[in-house]
Amino acid sequence: MSKQEVRFSGEWKKKEALKEAPKKEEAAALQKALPASGKSVLEKNYINFGKSQMTKRLQPSLNWKATFDFKEHKSLLRDTQEEKHGGRLERSGPPVSPRRSQLVRKSAEKIEEIISESSSESEEDEEPPDHHQEANAGLPSEYWQIQKLVKYLKGGNQTATVIALCSMQDFNLAQETCQLAIRDVGGLEVLINLLDTDEVKCKIGSLKILKEISHNPQIRRNIVDLGGLPIMVNILDSPHKSLKCLAAETIANVAKFRRGRRAVRRHGGITKLVALLDCAQNSGEPAQSSLYDARDVEVARCGALALWSCSKSYENKEAIRKAGGIPLLAGLLKTSHENMLIPVVGTLQECASEESYRTAIKAERIIENLVKNLNSENEQLQEHCAMAIYQCAEDKETRDLVRLHGGLKPLASLLNNTDNKERLAAVTGAIWKCSISKENVTKFREYKAIETLVGLLTDQPEEVLVNVVGALGECCQEYENRVLVRKCGGIQPLVNLLIGINQTLLVNVTKAVGACALEPESMTIIDRLDGVRLLWSLLKNPHPDVKASAAWALCPCIQNAKDAGEMVRSFVGGLELVVNLLRSDNKEVLASVCAAITNIAKDQENLAVITDHGVVPLLSKLANTNNDKLRRHLAEAISRCCMWGRNRAAFGEYKAVAPLVRYLKSNDTSVHQATAQALYQLSEDADNCIIMHENGAVKLLLDMVGSPDQDLQEAAAGCIYNIRKLALATEKARYT
Amino acid sequence: MNRKKLQKLTDTLTKNCKHFNKFEVNCLINLFYNLVGEVTERQGITIGLDRNAFRNILHMTFGMTDDMIMDRVFRGFDKDNDGYVNVSEWIYGLSVFLRGTLEEKMKYCFEVFDLNGDGFISKEEMFHMLKNSLLKQPSEEDPDEGIKDLVEITLKKMDHDHDGKLSFTDYEQAVREETLLLEAFGPCLPDPKSHMEFEAQVFKDPNEFNDI
């Protein structure tokens, strides 16, 4: 035995120089020798890597993975790839692909290397015999059988290869030990190489195995690293339908990670997969034996499965659309095969996050079919249809379509089924987005969905809660629903959710609570539950969306609370916090905080406090903006803040007036109204009048005096009056 | 063969063989006589393709290379065992060879593989057929070990009644489970590509064919 080991290490040193065929024989010799002596040698190798006996026996294959230097393996394989392309023109003995013989050489080198490592180590270490014994029991017998089969794959002609492939299928290919065993003995390279030959039976056999083992995430990566994807994509062009199916199903598994998806696209796979969806396409082949044939429906199903995996990447979604995938997917939706519908709807649902898709989806009458399939018995199908509706309902027309095709009722009734959480999340999501349309809310109310939603506010996973609260927030835009939510006891659980860290959830909860606060009785409950303080502390949340949403929600709270002024003052550091938010960069935050300040400033004492905190200069700094939403709320805040002390003059000093005049040029009438009010207040101070006059405010205000809005008329008129009054007084002073 | 006889033959063959229509039978008959060449018809002389000619066709047209299998295919075609494939045997044989249903192909393949015709494929027969299917390693101690192992593997996979040999029932069941095993012991059917080319070439446009 030691003699053999010495020979192995010698050969390893010669590895770099040797390139000829004789190597193959040595390789086979080594492989053959493995079962006898190599086994124990390799076992020793594991021990030397410091794993304990027990763990090794329980999980032998993972040990192998740890000791196996994958980077080294990769570099070897890259060489193999280059050799493969280089050796294209060679022809060797039996009808074996020339590349396979090259690969045999390289894989042999690799095995040699490992053996020699272990052999040298075993020479150094002295293992007591009983260790040997236990070590031999380490690797499962499948490993050795698989290794043998791979040897036949490498060295056999078509007949032997097919036999070996069929036998390999008998192993439990879903088990990780088997999957990794195939990889570790160089099986992946051989299987992929078989795909590159002309032998149809070998391709079929190889794909059947690759399809199963590619469920393993590591193996997927290995397949892509070995260049397996472009070969599989080429097989999609094959005239044999069964090959197309197998290739597509394997791609569906391999493309379940980002690099795989990218590789599919880069090799033109998306176009070919979309072509598979075309059921009516006639390949024009004469009737072949049943080995190579498959039903067109099956081909389309496999194509859809592959596209579903691929569609998770943005560029692929675009590629699918450009390849004309949407009308084909729409056509397949009309079938009633569940196996077909699930990947088709899955793909649509992934892609519907893109706006370009939503237009096309509306055009192809897909919504109708999605709604129809909500009534299916298959839970997974229902889930995906609901998700697709959730994605598409961003668009108003789609929301109407869902209602028109009777989709709201099944959605509402699915709420009652809380066992399947994924489906529940999808359904609540769909309901949320559909509730953006008022007519849909009315319908949901009819179907008693609101009560059910309130019931779902507790004991549900976050994905569900986000959507439930979102839906309630939309529903509570209507007065009756606010009352309903209160009566169902929904206020408490909502306020309870104000404590949390999920940003999306917090945004939705604050919106819902804010909506409820519009109703005085609900406001009392919110106040009693300390909801306002919770909202206020959300102003400290790092995420700007949460801050803004909380600030918006605070406005109705302050408006409707009893003793609002007192309540606000009771929050320690609360006013300072609000004023400091005016330093933010985020426009939404700024607009919401201005709105809050407008409400706070209704109380004189609080106004004094925020003035002390420097609200005037901060507001003035914001005046130079083109954002209409911000302009409106800023102007409102300014007009409120004018009603204290020398704030009016201060605004002028901080140069807020001139920009405000420009607001009158905006197209938004609510901006005009707010600005006119602000200017009216500011015009009580003489210096401000001068600035306004210099900036041409009078002309703009004159136009507004004729506006149908009464408040606007009054404010504009009042402002002009003040300016005029000053002008007259100035003139009078000149002549006296 | 005179026209009337030929016509009658065509009709009979078309009726009995299920996979070719009249036009196709015509083409195949013409091909047959082209291959056989100029032979004067005489009593007592069989007109047909002998073993060599037939194997030549298998090799040139269908790319087959395995001598043993080709021999067995010839035997499969030559049902009356007279050493010649006559025109009827040609048509019936091709009917299964090119367009047989799974059942027909299974029967045909089994007969090809059952070397001694006893209704079973034995281990020895399997060994014989798989003898050259693995690369020979000269430094291997027992070059046949791999082949024996392959035979064991195949038997394990296909021998459902565990009697150490494959009956037709065993074989049929195995093929129904895994169609790839139809030609488990050697390629005795044409590969799809050469099949297509053959049919495309032989069954040309009917309008081109004027004379019988």
Side-chain angles (χ1 to χ4, degrees):
Chain A
M1 176 145 153
S2 53
K3 204 168 98 172
Q4 266 184 337
E5 287 165 356
V6 169
R7 179 158 71 97
F8 291 171
S9 29
E11 265 150 1
W12 176 50
K13 290 187 186 82
K14 288 191 279 176
K15 170 184 79 151
E16 301 306 311
L18 282 176
K19 291 275 182 194
E20 305 84 58
K23 197 91 179 330
K24 223 185 323 189
E25 294 140 32
E26 285 155 355
L30 288 167
Q31 286 169 328
K32 202 217 156 203
L34 261 177
S37 57
K39 214 194 239 186
S40 47
V41 163
L42 282 169
E43 298 301 346
K44 280 193 239 166
N45 196 25
Y46 303 146
I47 302 170
N48 295 334
F49 278 86
K51 302 276 180 185
S52 77
Q53 295 282 38
M54 279 312 290
T55 52
K56 188 158 30 70
R57 207 177 313 156
L58 291 170
Q59 306 239 284
S61 61
L62 293 177
N63 275 356
W64 179 247
K65 175 182 72 180
T67 63
F68 186 53
D69 184 354
F70 194 56
K71 286 204 191 81
E72 195 181 62
H73 180 68
K74 253 216 257 195
S75 62
L76 270 171
L77 292 171
R78 248 181 252 124
D79 299 334
T80 310
Q81 294 282 60
E82 285 150 22
E83 271 221 358
K84 189 170 92 159
H85 294 304
R88 218 172 256 274
L89 297 169
E90 269 185 52
R91 258 243 152 253
S92 49
V96 166
S97 161
R99 301 167 198 109
R100 271 205 280 166
S101 48
Q102 309 268 4
L103 268 178
V104 171
R105 250 178 271 148
K106 274 294 180 183
S107 314
E109 284 172 39
K110 178 194 74 176
I111 294 177
E112 253 191 297
E113 193 177 54
I114 292 166
I115 293 172
S116 53
E117 277 171 12
S118 57
S119 64
S120 50
E121 291 207 354
S122 67
E123 277 173 331
E124 290 163 24
D125 290 8
E126 284 167 49
E127 301 291 340
D130 48 339
H131 272 226
H132 251 263
Q133 211 51 34
E134 278 177 79
N136 267 337
L139 277 181
S141 66
E142 286 114 27
Y143 179 86
W144 304 111
Q145 292 167 356
I146 288 178
Q147 189 182 54
K148 207 171 43 161
L149 287 176
V150 171
K151 184 174 78 166
Y152 297 144
L153 284 181
K154 288 181 192 166
N157 67 0
Q158 193 193 146
T159 311
T161 303
V162 170
I163 292 177
L165 287 171
C166 291
S167 176
M168 211 183 272
Q169 280 179 53
D170 286 338
F171 289 99
N172 183 0
L173 294 175
Q175 207 185 24
E176 194 175 50
T177 40
C178 289
Q179 295 163 342
L180 294 181
I182 294 181
R183 178 189 73 181
D184 296 339
V185 300
L188 275 186
E189 294 93 312
V190 185
L191 287 171
I192 291 176
N193 221 32
L194 282 172
L195 294 181
D196 218 359
T197 66
D198 281 332
E199 297 154 13
V200 179
K201 292 207 279 280
C202 292
K203 290 202 259 204
I204 292 179
S206 170
L207 278 175
K208 281 189 181 171
I209 295 175
L210 285 171
K211 182 180 89 166
E212 290 308 321
I213 62 176
S214 56
H215 278 117
N216 179 315
Q218 289 175 59
I219 304 270
R220 280 178 214 152
R221 293 186 149 76
N222 301 148
I223 291 178
V224 175
D225 289 335
L226 290 170
L229 260 181
I231 303 177
M232 286 188 222
V233 167
N234 280 337
I235 293 182
L236 292 173
D237 282 332
S238 157
H240 306 291
K241 291 195 192 140
S242 58
L243 261 183
K244 283 203 240 240
C245 287
L246 281 169
E249 280 179 295
T250 313
I251 292 176
N253 287 338
V254 175
K256 280 192 177 148
F257 74 111
R258 199 163 49 92
R259 203 150 46 88
R261 293 194 273 269
R262 200 164 57 204
V264 174
R265 183 180 71 255
R266 290 216 176 123
H267 291 105
I270 303 288
T271 331
K272 295 189 194 194
L273 287 170
V274 170
L276 291 184
L277 297 177
D278 202 350
C279 259
Q281 190 183 60
N282 201 351
S283 56
E285 289 302 308
Q288 302 267 327
S289 102
S290 54
L291 178 58
Y292 306 121
D293 222 353
R295 285 162 54 233
D296 281 333
V297 172
E298 182 62 19
V299 175
R301 183 189 75 88
C302 297
L305 261 179
L307 283 174
W308 188 9
S309 295
C310 292
S311 61
K312 291 193 169 49
S313 111
Y314 169 74
E315 292 95 350
N316 284 355
K317 295 188 231 246
E318 275 304 291
I320 295 174
R321 186 174 62 85
K322 289 193 184 130
I326 304 182
L328 290 171
L329 287 168
L332 291 173
L333 258 189
K334 302 196 175 95
T335 74
S336 44
H337 302 110
E338 268 166 15
N339 285 339
M340 170 84 84
L341 283 171
I342 292 176
V344 169
V345 177
T347 312
L348 282 171
Q349 163 231 314
E350 278 296 337
C351 296
S353 57
E354 299 304 313
E355 210 173 314
S356 47
Y357 266 85
R358 295 200 272 264
T359 328
I361 283 176
K362 269 187 294 191
E364 297 285 341
R365 305 182 55 155
I366 287 179
I367 304 292
E368 192 179 331
N369 282 309
L370 286 176
V371 167
K372 187 179 83 176
N373 285 312
L374 274 178
N375 291 319
S376 140
E377 306 237 319
N378 184 313
E379 289 188 3
Q380 211 192 358
L381 184 54
Q382 289 173 320
E383 176 195 333
H384 290 299
C385 289
M387 270 302 276
I389 293 176
Y390 161 73
Q391 300 275 22
C392 297
E394 292 285 344
D395 168 86
K396 177 175 190 315
E397 232 184 286
T398 309
R399 294 198 283 270
D400 292 335
L401 279 173
V402 175
R403 182 180 70 254
L404 289 170
H405 290 299
L408 300 176
K409 190 159 187 200
L411 282 173
S413 59
L414 279 172
L415 277 181
N416 292 316
N417 208 314
T418 58
D419 291 325
N420 182 335
K421 296 297 178 195
E422 285 87 12
R423 185 180 59 172
L424 188 57
V427 167
T428 47
I431 292 179
W432 170 18
K433 293 296 172 173
C434 288
S435 311
I436 298 176
S437 287
K438 288 212 177 347
E439 302 90 340
N440 292 354
V441 175
T442 319
K443 281 279 176 190
F444 280 135
R445 180 124 171 271
E446 254 177 70
Y447 301 134
K448 307 270 181 234
I450 300 185
E451 289 91 323
T452 323
L453 284 169
V454 171
L456 288 173
L457 281 173
T458 42
D459 274 338
Q460 294 298 334
E462 246 172 30
E463 297 80 30
V464 174
L465 281 176
V466 171
N467 299 336
V468 169
V469 175
L472 284 173
E474 296 295 337
C475 294
C476 287
Q477 304 292 322
E478 294 282 310
Y479 173 74
E480 302 97 359
N481 297 334
R482 283 177 227 143
V483 177
L484 184 52
V485 168
R486 174 170 57 82
K487 290 201 176 140
C488 292
I491 308 287
Q492 168 120 34
L494 278 174
V495 172
N496 287 342
L497 287 172
L498 283 171
I499 310 161
I501 46 174
N502 183 321
Q503 283 158 3
T504 331
L505 182 54
L506 284 173
V507 169
N508 288 356
V509 173
T510 45
K511 185 167 179 193
V513 171
C516 291
L518 290 167
E519 211 242 323
E521 274 193 58
S522 304
M523 185 58 221
T524 325
I525 305 179
I526 294 174
D527 197 9
R528 186 166 39 87
L529 293 168
D530 223 8
V532 188
R533 188 178 58 79
L534 291 170
L535 278 173
W536 211 288
S537 48
L538 282 176
L539 292 174
K540 290 188 254 179
N541 188 292
H543 204 265
D545 288 345
V546 178
K547 280 201 249 255
S549 193
W552 288 121
L554 279 171
C555 300
C557 288
I558 301 171
Q559 268 169 8
N560 293 327
K562 298 194 194 48
D563 302 326
E566 190 59 48
M567 173 185 78
V568 168
R569 271 192 297 280
S570 71
F571 301 131
V572 178
L575 290 170
E576 190 176 347
L577 170 61
V578 170
V579 171
N580 280 329
L581 280 174
L582 288 173
R583 296 178 210 272
S584 158
D585 290 327
N586 184 305
K587 295 278 187 288
E588 189 70 19
V589 172
L590 291 172
S592 57
V593 171
C594 289
I597 287 177
T598 312
N599 283 295
I600 291 171
K602 286 181 189 157
D603 177 287
Q604 285 285 306
E605 250 192 81
N606 292 338
L607 178 49
V609 175
I610 60 175
T611 308
D612 282 343
H613 284 306
V615 75
V616 173
L618 286 170
L619 284 174
S620 309
K621 223 177 359 179
L622 297 175
N624 253 324
T625 171
N626 286 328
N627 184 316
D628 274 338
K629 194 172 184 182
L630 176 54
R631 280 174 168 182
R632 173 185 157 197
H633 292 287
L634 180 58
E636 282 175 2
I638 290 178
S639 37
R640 274 272 163 222
C641 291
C642 283
M643 299 187 214
W644 171 259
R646 31 173 336 268
N647 286 355
R648 285 192 182 87
F651 276 124
E653 283 158 29
Y654 282 108
K655 307 200 193 306
V657 182
L660 270 177
V661 176
R662 277 201 294 279
Y663 292 5
L664 294 172
K665 293 192 194 156
S666 148
N667 290 327
D668 189 337
T669 46
S670 51
V671 173
H672 297 168
Q673 202 201 53
T675 312
Q677 282 286 352
L679 290 173
Y680 172 48
Q681 292 294 335
L682 287 166
S683 63
E684 301 284 336
D685 173 277
D687 290 320
N688 290 344
C689 287
I690 298 172
I691 302 175
M692 284 182 218
H693 189 254
E694 277 170 5
N695 278 286
V698 178
K699 181 170 182 302
L700 294 163
L701 285 169
L702 273 173
D703 288 334
M704 285 175 199
V705 172
S707 142
D709 182 338
Q710 203 175 18
D711 291 327
L712 177 53
Q713 279 181 346
E714 282 184 29
C719 190
I720 296 176
Y721 167 74
N722 283 340
I723 297 177
R724 197 80 194 101
K725 199 169 76 173
L726 176 62
L728 283 170
T730 319
E731 271 196 45
K732 211 156 84 176
R734 214 182 287 167
Y735 291 118
T736 38
Chain B
M1 212 187 263
N2 65 28
R3 189 176 260 233
K4 202 161 163 213
K5 249 188 175 174
L6 205 53
Q7 184 79 330
K8 197 164 165 223
L9 180 66
T10 314
D11 290 335
T12 324
L13 288 172
T14 315
K15 199 169 64 176
N16 291 332
C17 124
K18 299 175 215 93
H19 301 298
F20 292 130
N21 61 29
K22 190 158 177 200
F23 166 69
E24 288 162 345
V25 172
N26 247 342
C27 295
L28 288 173
I29 293 178
N30 276 299
L31 176 63
F32 178 81
Y33 283 113
N34 281 334
L35 289 167
V36 167
E38 291 295 319
V39 182
T40 41
E41 207 174 312
R42 267 191 312 199
Q43 279 283 31
I45 304 277
T46 339
I47 297 178
L49 297 162
D50 68 0
R51 185 194 306 270
N52 278 333
F54 188 78
R55 275 171 43 163
N56 220 21
I57 297 168
L58 286 181
H59 184 62
M60 304 300 293
T61 320
F62 296 111
M64 292 191 174
T65 52
D66 188 330
D67 278 341
M68 190 189 348
I69 298 284
M70 287 201 279
D71 208 41
R72 295 294 307 159
V73 173
F74 176 77
R75 297 268 184 88
F77 268 64
D78 181 20
K79 295 234 179 319
D80 59 11
N81 255 330
D82 62 352
Y84 288 95
V85 171
N86 63 30
V87 67
S88 316
E89 290 170 342
W90 170 252
I91 303 289
Y92 290 132
L94 283 179
S95 164
V96 176
F97 193 69
L98 297 176
R99 296 189 183 177
T101 62
L102 187 59
E103 283 72 20
E104 290 172 346
K105 283 186 174 167
M106 283 198 283
K107 279 208 197 75
Y108 160 80
C109 291
F110 189 81
E111 273 170 22
V112 166
F113 295 142
D114 180 7
L115 300 178
N116 63 1
D118 65 350
F120 291 97
I121 306 178
S122 69
K123 267 202 218 175
E124 292 74 27
E125 288 171 339
M126 288 190 227
F127 185 87
H128 198 57
M129 290 187 278
L130 292 176
K131 200 160 63 188
N132 292 318
S133 63
L134 285 182
L135 286 173
K136 279 291 190 297
Q137 324 291 346
S139 53
E140 239 177 70
E141 288 155 13
D142 179 7
D144 291 338
E145 188 179 316
I147 313 283
K148 287 195 193 129
D149 193 31
L150 261 185
V151 170
E152 286 302 322
I153 290 173
T154 318
L155 209 54
K156 194 170 101 174
K157 183 117 178 119
M158 297 175 78
D159 184 16
H160 294 110
D161 56 15
H162 304 296
D163 59 356
K165 50 192 178 172
L166 291 185
S167 66
F168 181 69
T169 328
D170 286 334
Y171 172 77
E172 187 186 1
Q173 191 178 353
V175 173
R176 285 203 194 278
E177 277 169 26
E178 176 53 79
T179 331
L180 283 174
L181 290 172
L182 182 64
E183 296 173 77
F185 302 108
C188 51
L189 290 168
D191 68 279
K193 198 160 164 223
S194 42
H195 176 165
M196 254 165 60
E197 284 168 5
F198 177 81
E199 289 211 5
Q201 197 182 18
V202 174
F203 299 144
K204 277 209 197 108
D205 193 330
N207 296 323
E208 275 183 47
F209 246 56
N210 289 320
D211 53 329
I212 300 175

